[in-house]
Amino acid sequence: MSKIRIQREARLPDDLRVSRALSAPHLGPRILFFSGGSALNGVSRQLKRYSYNSIHMITPFDSGGSSQVLREAFDMPAVGDLRSRLMALADETELGQPDIYALFSHRFPKEGGQAALRAEVDEMVEGRHPLTKAISQPMRMLICAFLTAFIKAAPVEFDYRNASIGNLILAGGYLSNDRQLEPVLFLMSKMVDVRGTVRAVVDRNLQLGADLEDGRQVIGQRQLSGKEVPPLNSAIRRLFLSDGKQELAAEAVPLSKRNQKLVSQADLICYPPGSLFSSVIANLLPAGVGRAIAARDLPKVYVPSLGDDPEALGLSLADQVDALLAPLLRDAGAASNPDRVLTHILCDLSTSEDATKEVTARTGLPCLRLDLTGDNPLRYDPQKLCETLISLV
């Protein structure tokens, strides 16, 4: 069998491709995102109009907020970003499951008595709470079973303040399924009719680590973000995975065959806006990610964040592209050309021509300056970005 490589010119946006996607989203393209955090949730909500087939590889290495409380209690991967993306992709119409969506999206107040909050969870388990009472059987039974598993395993001192009920249900499902995320993510996707596929890039309880320009080494995602602890005040030189104590070799954390298959099925790969290191590059660290991407002959685009990213301290656009390429080329093989893992950088018109020219001069990769923002110049317009990505497929 012979293979040929076909290239085409793309109009951005391509009205015909956009119209086709809007008319038949169930046949929409399989756009694969390597992401985490909440930066892509607005785009994900918009993307449901164009495709029910998007793929989201999510980092499970968050070490802040309510996800960290669960990690410490159950020695499990972070689930907050996974739940958040599931909710962004869920069918939010009356044709979906609004009652289940409301429960999964419910969050306890930051201030509140522990006894009262625990009693509210008990009410949910017993079916007396309005949020669970509204859910019909057999969904209610399954959800309550997951919450029961959570309560039985939760330490007495578990902190329920600011806890997401969806996260507690995910934790209970994880414990009920031999400490595996994929089964409970699949079930939750079906419960709220998720328009796409959401997976953890690896199903392991690991931490992010970073070597800094000033010689320090830090362990833990929240150390990098600057949200819950003081900023690093030093550029990140290298990111790695850790067991919490020491660095793990990439080969010790392979990309699963099931996730490799998702990469092999994608129509376009996107490294989207978000915290550069903890939300995007973190997903590229497992062994096999670079090789799986390099094996595909399709558009592979980077959409850099707008505004200030505390994790990209002092990094130019070209430096950010270099940081993105580093783990991919290391895994794909030193002889691999950058265009095997990244074909285009999509920038807003607010990005200077000098910045884009520096990227091309350093890497040989084209940078496209497009109108991708709306009223807020520090945020991509979800519709414009979705239609641009759809047009590239």
Side-chain angles (χ1 to χ4, degrees):
M1 181 182 292
S2 300
K3 292 184 178 181
I4 60 173
R5 182 176 182 177
I6 299 175
Q7 295 180 320
R8 69 175 181 87
E9 291 186 1
R11 177 180 296 178
L12 303 176
D14 185 321
D15 294 340
L16 178 60
R17 289 176 183 272
V18 170
S19 297
R20 184 187 303 156
L22 285 170
S23 65
H26 59 289
L27 300 175
R30 291 165 294 196
I31 301 176
L32 188 155
F33 299 92
F34 288 98
S35 69
S38 59
L40 198 66
N41 283 349
V43 173
S44 298
R45 285 190 167 88
Q46 184 71 215
L47 189 62
K48 291 183 292 190
R49 298 175 57 217
Y50 305 90
S51 177
Y52 297 165
N53 302 311
S54 60
I55 304 165
H56 302 254
M57 296 282 191
I58 306 292
T59 166
F61 311 126
D62 187 5
S63 63
S66 60
S67 283
Q68 180 61 13
V69 176
L70 288 170
R71 297 191 74 177
E72 292 175 348
F74 301 112
D75 187 27
M76 65 180 290
V79 295
D81 289 345
L82 290 158
R83 179 208 40 93
S84 178
R85 191 61 52 81
L86 286 169
M87 296 300 98
L89 291 167
D91 180 358
E92 299 177 60
T93 71
E94 288 300 320
L95 297 177
Q97 296 286 346
D99 296 328
I100 299 177
Y101 181 91
L103 175 65
F104 287 170
S105 301
H106 184 69
R107 186 179 290 274
F108 285 147
K110 293 182 180 180
E111 305 296 333
Q114 289 289 78
L117 295 177
R118 167 56 197 266
E120 191 170 348
V121 178
D122 288 338
E123 286 184 356
M124 291 179 180
V125 170
E126 295 165 6
R128 295 184 290 109
H129 193 283
L131 285 173
T132 48
K133 202 172 184 179
I135 299 171
S136 59
Q137 299 289 15
M139 294 293 193
R140 186 199 311 167
M141 184 183 301
L142 182 58
I143 291 168
C144 290
F146 286 166
L147 279 174
T148 299
F150 163 79
I151 287 175
K152 287 182 177 179
V156 175
E157 68 277 9
F158 185 85
D159 189 355
Y160 289 91
R161 292 172 298 178
N162 200 40
S164 160
I165 298 303
N167 288 358
L168 304 189
I169 294 168
L170 273 171
Y174 173 79
L175 297 170
S176 300
N177 287 278
D178 297 322
R179 302 182 68 85
Q180 296 180 75
L181 281 176
E182 190 171 333
V184 67
L185 289 173
F186 174 79
L187 287 170
M188 186 176 277
S189 294
K190 294 301 181 184
M191 286 179 186
V192 292
D193 193 11
V194 167
R195 304 295 176 80
T197 299
V198 178
R199 291 255 185 93
V201 68
V202 292
D203 192 350
R204 289 181 59 181
N205 182 26
L206 301 175
Q207 301 284 349
L208 290 178
D211 291 328
L212 308 182
E213 287 290 350
D214 63 10
R216 286 182 293 154
Q217 186 176 90
V218 296
I219 303 291
Q221 173 269 340
R222 62 179 168 179
Q223 302 294 325
L224 309 179
S225 67
K227 296 177 182 176
E228 299 180 34
V229 296
L232 294 173
N233 293 322
S234 179
I236 296 173
R237 182 168 57 84
R238 186 179 68 95
L239 198 69
F240 58 86
L241 294 176
S242 167
D243 60 5
K245 299 177 182 178
Q246 60 186 3
E247 179 176 351
L248 297 175
E251 291 71 24
V253 190
L255 185 70
S256 70
K257 290 184 178 179
R258 288 179 62 78
N259 283 350
Q260 289 180 40
K261 184 176 180 180
L262 287 178
V263 176
S264 73
Q265 294 172 337
D267 298 312
L268 179 146
I269 291 171
C270 180
Y271 312 104
S275 298
L276 177 62
F277 288 94
S278 64
S279 289
V280 183
I281 295 177
N283 287 294
L284 312 179
L285 299 177
V289 173
R291 277 165 277 167
I293 293 171
R296 302 302 319 286
D297 194 8
L298 44 64
K300 304 158 190 178
V301 301
Y302 172 44
V303 185
S305 293
L306 299 171
D308 294 328
D309 178 359
E311 296 182 7
L313 182 70
L315 299 184
S316 67
L317 177 60
D319 293 333
Q320 293 177 52
V321 172
D322 281 344
L324 184 77
L325 288 172
L328 292 169
L329 294 177
R330 187 166 56 243
D331 187 74
S336 297
N337 292 325
D339 66 359
R340 295 308 305 152
V341 293
L342 177 62
T343 60
H344 300 83
I345 296 91
L346 302 184
C347 300
D348 182 61
L349 290 174
S350 59
T351 305
S352 71
E353 288 190 38
D354 287 343
T356 59
K357 287 178 180 178
E358 182 187 4
V359 172
T360 302
R362 192 184 296 184
T363 65
L365 298 172
C367 288
L368 307 180
R369 295 175 69 246
L370 306 167
D371 177 14
L372 294 174
T373 58
D375 295 335
N376 186 348
L378 299 181
R379 293 285 184 272
Y380 288 102
D381 180 278
Q383 180 175 335
K384 289 181 179 179
L385 183 53
C386 285
E387 292 187 355
T388 299
L389 295 175
I390 291 290
S391 300
L392 286 169
V393 177

